[in-house]
Amino acid sequence: MARDLYEVLGVQPQASEADIKKAYRRLAMEHHPDRNNGDKASEERFKELTEAYEVLRDPQQRAQYDRFGMAGVGGGGGPGGFGFAHVDLAEALNIFMRDFGGFGGFDAIFGGGGRQRRTRRRGQDVRASVRLSLADVAHGTKRTLKLRSLDRCDGCEGSGAKPGTATKPCPTCRGTGEVRHASQSLFGQFVSVSPCPTCRAEGTVLSEPCPDCGGDGRVRKEREVELDVPAGVDTNNYITLRGQGVAGPRNGPAGDLIVEFDVEEDPRFQRRGSDLVYDLQLSFSQAALGGDVTIPTPFGDETISVEPGAQSGTVLTLRGKGLPNISDGSRGTLYVRIQVWTPTKLTPELHDLFERLSTIEGEPPKEGGGLGHKIWEKMKEAFGT
Ligand SMILES: [Zn+2]
Ligand SMILES: [Zn+2]
């Protein structure tokens, strides 16, 4: 013989519709099979609650039940023939989902096909900075980063529970991970939802914390992370390594590791993206006579030939000798800007030579700026400086 349906739900016979709904919701949550690891007694209770709720939530059914008892709603073999029915677990779960599945926080708890999905706290992000030389940028490189941070505790496999003990539903929020505060307003009941302070929205609390980590699920460890630095990075570029940051408490998702690059200034070059500018100093005689000179590139020294009569400000364009472009791997340009160097201290011998030269060299052109200047102007335009 079924118990009194009001008693099943723990409400008074004069309870309002809202009270019945609320009582069912609360008890059904507590005995929901998802939350009790398929415990048989909970399952039976969940079905019983659902059966009672199905009758009492409907005003017509409820009136029949109030007048005639179980007989009025088809239970106990009476003539009613409708209303009360024994439900199996799948039906009970469907009824619960039908009425509460899309109701505020319930989605978060029983979403994803009825499985629990409470908040798991995420670990923090970690920032690291890696200093690189221009050669590192030219070729790309590998680095091993040593991180000291909180990592999963081996003693409890990150659960925070002492091995052999279990977690239990949080008594404050009954495992929902959130607490609801109802208050009356002019427009009816107003419900606010906030994360449960007792379990920090996790829904469970420990019966005994793991002695290694004190229940946090994490211990301080040192660990190494291998980092591939792609060619062509620049200062302030960064790489995000998902899940390589601090582990989340109690098996929560790990934060990210964000590696920022800091490329050392190379006194030999000015850098603009993947292009480089190198100032080549030539002596008077080198500039006048031309010849082979050795210049540095990010990939090693190279020999280039300078035409006789090279002017200060002339720019030589060495395509493909700049830095790799991080987006497509193509290489930028190395601009070699010629500067004719004037000696500042003359030995008596040099002084004599320059005096002799001055009598035979002739006048320089009146208009300044040869072809080299024009190229330099164009280059500056291209750089936007
Ligand atoms: Zn532990
Ligand atoms: Zn809680």
Side-chain angles (χ1 to χ4, degrees):
M1 184 66 203
R3 282 203 283 155
D4 177 78
L5 297 185
Y6 292 103
E7 234 175 79
V8 169
L9 291 177
V11 294
Q12 297 297 316
Q14 61 273 15
S16 69
E17 253 179 274
D19 286 342
I20 285 165
K21 207 163 175 163
K22 213 163 105 185
Y24 168 67
R25 196 185 77 187
R26 186 174 58 77
L27 290 167
M29 290 277 297
E30 196 179 316
H31 297 281
H32 196 287
D34 271 8
R35 302 262 302 283
N36 293 280
N37 300 318
D39 174 67
K40 274 284 160 212
S42 299
E43 206 175 289
E44 286 308 313
R45 181 88 173 97
F46 183 76
K47 289 195 292 189
E48 188 190 23
L49 288 163
T50 306
E51 286 164 359
Y53 167 70
E54 272 294 82
V55 170
L56 298 182
R57 71 177 182 85
D58 175 18
Q60 242 187 311
Q61 301 278 335
R62 189 178 170 186
Q64 289 278 86
Y65 176 74
D66 286 346
R67 282 184 72 190
F68 308 112
M70 288 308 282
V73 290
F82 69 103
F84 182 85
H86 285 295
V87 294
D88 65 23
L89 186 61
E91 287 174 286
L93 286 169
N94 281 339
I95 288 164
F96 182 84
M97 288 296 285
R98 176 197 70 199
D99 288 7
F100 298 103
F103 193 77
F106 285 89
D107 256 351
I109 302 151
F110 294 109
R115 285 210 46 81
Q116 294 173 66
R117 185 148 43 84
R118 291 184 221 95
T119 312
R120 289 193 307 154
R121 284 179 289 150
R122 182 177 176 275
Q124 282 172 302
D125 292 341
V126 176
R127 285 180 179 274
S129 178
V130 166
R131 202 159 165 77
L132 300 171
S133 68
L134 207 68
D136 293 332
V137 174
H139 299 284
T141 185
K142 285 182 196 299
R143 288 291 161 85
T144 303
L145 304 179
K146 273 195 166 62
L147 297 179
R148 277 188 68 79
S149 72
L150 291 169
D151 249 319
R152 203 171 90 125
C153 170
D154 292 329
C156 59
E157 294 181 323
S159 73
K162 183 179 173 181
T165 70
T167 58
K168 53 189 181 191
C170 169
T172 305
C173 62
R174 293 169 187 274
T176 62
E178 57 187 28
V179 284
R180 288 159 176 271
H181 303 278
S183 51
Q184 285 301 325
S185 81
L186 211 55
F187 308 103
Q189 203 181 48
F190 174 77
V191 179
S192 64
V193 179
S194 53
C196 172
T198 307
C199 61
R200 303 184 69 177
E202 287 177 42
T204 53
V205 290
L206 304 169
S207 35
E208 247 187 292
C210 163
D212 296 345
C213 61
D216 184 54
R218 302 175 299 177
V219 289
R220 196 159 281 281
K221 281 186 201 171
E222 188 170 280
R223 121 183 101 94
E224 291 185 346
V225 176
E226 300 295 327
L227 176 70
D228 272 313
V229 181
V233 298
D234 206 344
T235 294
N236 295 331
N237 285 163
Y238 62 90
I239 285 183
T240 303
L241 300 173
R242 299 259 170 248
Q244 294 278 13
V246 180
R250 293 173 64 184
N251 283 329
D256 298 333
L257 171 60
I258 299 154
V259 182
E260 260 183 283
F261 298 112
D262 177 18
V263 181
E264 282 170 46
E265 285 280 329
D266 190 312
R268 300 169 301 174
F269 303 103
Q270 294 166 45
R271 180 177 179 183
R272 300 277 196 289
S274 55
D275 293 335
L276 295 171
V277 179
Y278 171 70
D279 280 324
L280 173 64
Q281 305 283 339
L282 292 180
S283 68
F284 283 151
S285 56
Q286 279 179 307
L289 302 172
D292 286 352
V293 291
T294 301
I295 58 155
T297 81
F299 304 96
D301 289 351
E302 289 225 2
T303 301
I304 58 167
S305 31
V306 174
E307 295 291 305
Q311 301 292 333
S312 239
T314 301
V315 175
L316 308 176
T317 302
L318 277 64
R319 292 196 196 286
K321 299 291 180 186
L323 294 170
N325 187 319
I326 195 162
S327 53
D328 62 8
S330 66
R331 280 195 194 165
T333 300
L334 173 60
Y335 294 100
V336 178
R337 185 164 56 176
I338 291 173
Q339 297 198 333
V340 178
W341 170 74
T342 309
T344 51
K345 278 187 183 136
L346 295 180
T347 61
E349 195 189 0
L350 274 174
H351 195 268
D352 284 352
L353 279 169
F354 277 120
E355 281 213 318
R356 273 185 61 202
L357 182 62
S358 69
T359 60
I360 55 173
E361 69 185 346
E363 291 285 306
K366 288 277 180 276
E367 299 293 315
L371 184 62
H373 284 280
K374 284 182 191 138
I375 291 174
W376 185 238
E377 290 306 317
K378 267 170 84 178
M379 212 180 98
K380 281 204 287 192
E381 265 172 43
F383 276 164
T385 56

